[in-house]
Amino acid sequence: MNLPNLITIGRLLLAPLLILVLTLWQADTARWWALGIFLLAALTDWLDGYLARRLNQITDLGKILDPLVDKILILAALLVLVQLGDVPAWSVFIILLREMFIASWRVNQTQVQGANIWGKLKTVGQILAVALLLAPLAPVWDIPILMIYGGAIALTVISGLIYIKESYSIPPIIPDTINNT
């Protein structure tokens, strides 16, 4: 077990703490603590990737574990936000469906792939949206936050479709080898 993977496991342990803070402590202070825990976890997501590349410790376990822990953390926060009435359950279902589908797809691949740029954008979008949803901000922020959350949902769907397309290597409908002579 290398340092980047240990950091990833540490991030996994922050998910239950986040749930406990949000469900057992009903105050704006709890939301700020939950936001701090969530942002710490997001920072460790960047840190473990940086260290894995810098120390040349990229492993197949890390390629599987890192995105899985990201999904657990995002979904843990979103499920509590559903319970609190801050986000609709259908929106979390869309995210959960995509994540489960892609995770099950990856299990059947012969070679472990890291996330592509769309997967990384999806994760950043989800982190930003969840962070804003956790923060006890004034009502004037409600519409912009929901728009950012909607964008994160859109990135979730788009990145999933792109991942499947790239995995299948779907050829273009019109061949580009047509002779113009």
Side-chain angles (χ1 to χ4, degrees), residues 146-166:
L146 288 177
M147 291 174 66
I148 290 168
Y149 181 55
I153 294 169
L155 277 172
T156 299
V157 172
I158 291 166
S159 67
L161 293 173
I162 289 171
Y163 184 86
I164 292 168
K165 181 184 179 301
E166 288 176 353

Side-chain angles (χ1 to χ4, degrees), residues 4 7-8 11 43-53 66:
I7 292 170
T8 300
R11 184 168 73 254
L43 179 64
T44 65
D45 182 27
W46 171 84
L47 180 63
D48 65 28
Y50 172 79
L51 289 174
R53 288 183 298 276
D66 184 65

Side-chain angles (χ1 to χ4, degrees), residues 21-30 83-84:
V21 166
L22 285 172
T23 56
L24 297 179
W25 191 9
Q26 300 294 320
D28 281 355
T29 307
Q83 180 181 350
L84 296 173

Side-chain angles (χ1 to χ4, degrees), residues 10 74 83 94-95 134 148 155 168 179:
I74 296 282
Q83 180 181 350
I94 289 172
I95 293 170
L134 287 172
I148 290 168
L155 277 172
Y168 265 127
N179 263 333

